[in-house]
Amino acid sequence: MSDPTVTGPDGRPAEVAVPRTVTGRRGAGRRLGERLRSPGRPPLWFEILLIAASYWTYSLIRNAVPEQRQQALSNADALWWLEHRLGIAVEASVNHAADSVGWLIIGMNYYYATLHFVITIGVLVWLYRWHPDRYAPVRLVLFATTGVALAGYYLFPLAPPRLMRGGHFIDTVAVHQTWGSMASGDLKHMSNQYAAMPSMHIGWSLWCGLTVFALASVPWARVLGLAYPALTLVVIVSTANHFWLDAVGGVACLGFGVALARVWYGRLPHVRGSGTDAGAAPGPAPRLGDYPA
């Protein structure tokens, strides 16, 4: 190997400034930061463990929030009064109209109990398989949206319309005995019934819909992506599980998630090129003359 020493104008050896990217001597903190901000797809085993652990932690914290029944009922009365003042308190009418069609409301009950999880997981799998460069940023939006919702459950316990006092709502799950719902039978004791604000049915469904709309290449899939959160909004109101303003809370949580991902990756999560792209083609090798002596 030849001697890398460079001779200066006076005939003496001169040092050459070599960047740390060439020598490989970069700070561990910077390397860790680049890995965390890389939108590249993580290993499948790690992702499965992460999602399972995250949902378990979310459920544990959500259900550990004290079921402040009296406060939750008082907050529901206040929210119902506010909606009347705003002229949007039509949830009871929607609830009764949907309940009058037996097959429709039973279908909505099962929709509420199942699709919330099935479609969200499906979109995560689709992202992981077909859009690996967008997976990490968009997944961060979902995690942040869900995480900030926990603050709402703790700070503002809220009874759903079906549990209100004198609200004249029909508890469609109880009336039609929907199997498998976390709001019926013995399962209702496993879930906090007074965590209606914000609505994560809206937060998650809007996350799914916007993700599919932004990344799908098939027009009909993009249309379905937008239709899904709109239909979910109808379902959560028809089944008396949420007020309109609960949905607004879900949208606000999603906005927080998008903002956090925007700050972390330096670009909107659905846009390619956010942060340090894993697998990006390396640039040309630096030349000695590119750096000052």
Side-chain angles (χ1 to χ4, degrees), residues 108-279:
M108 286 185 171
N109 285 341
Y110 283 112
Y111 179 113
Y112 184 88
T114 60
L115 292 191
H116 179 53
F117 303 101
V118 173
I119 292 186
T120 303
I121 293 173
V123 172
L124 279 169
V125 172
W126 174 71
L127 270 174
Y128 188 90
R129 176 64 180 85
W130 298 106
H131 298 278
D133 59 329
R134 297 293 84 223
Y135 180 82
V138 179
R139 187 248 280 137
L140 176 60
V141 175
L142 179 64
F143 279 26
T145 299
T146 306
V148 75
L150 293 173
Y153 302 147
Y154 184 84
L155 297 173
F156 192 76
L158 181 70
R162 60 185 174 81
L163 296 181
M164 281 184 67
R165 298 167 295 196
H168 306 293
F169 287 94
I170 300 171
D171 189 341
T172 62
V173 169
V175 170
H176 299 281
Q177 299 180 341
T178 302
W179 177 84
S181 172
M182 296 299 289
S184 65
D186 293 335
L187 291 177
K188 67 182 180 182
H189 301 297
M190 299 171 58
S191 177
N192 186 352
Q193 299 297 297
Y194 301 104
M197 170 67 85
S199 168
M200 279 298 93
H201 273 74
I202 291 300
W204 286 14
S205 66
L206 191 57
W207 174 86
C208 292
L210 292 178
T211 297
V212 172
F213 179 78
L215 299 178
S217 57
V218 182
W220 63 262
R222 302 182 74 194
V223 172
L224 287 178
L226 294 181
Y228 174 52
L231 183 56
T232 299
L233 178 61
V234 174
V235 167
I236 67 173
V237 173
S238 298
T239 56
N241 279 291
H242 288 285
F243 297 98
W244 297 121
L245 291 181
D246 297 345
V248 175
V251 174
C253 289
L254 181 65
F256 171 84
V258 171
L260 180 63
R262 170 68 176 81
V263 171
W264 185 255
Y265 287 98
R267 194 171 296 185
L268 289 174
H270 297 92
V271 177
R272 295 179 184 273
S274 301
T276 305
D277 289 336

Side-chain angles (χ1 to χ4, degrees), residues 34-58:
E34 288 182 356
R35 285 197 298 270
L36 291 174
R37 287 179 171 82
S38 171
R41 178 172 57 190
L44 180 59
W45 65 267
F46 173 82
E47 196 60 24
I48 292 175
L49 287 177
L50 177 64
I51 291 175
S54 298
Y55 183 72
W56 178 82
T57 303
Y58 164 76

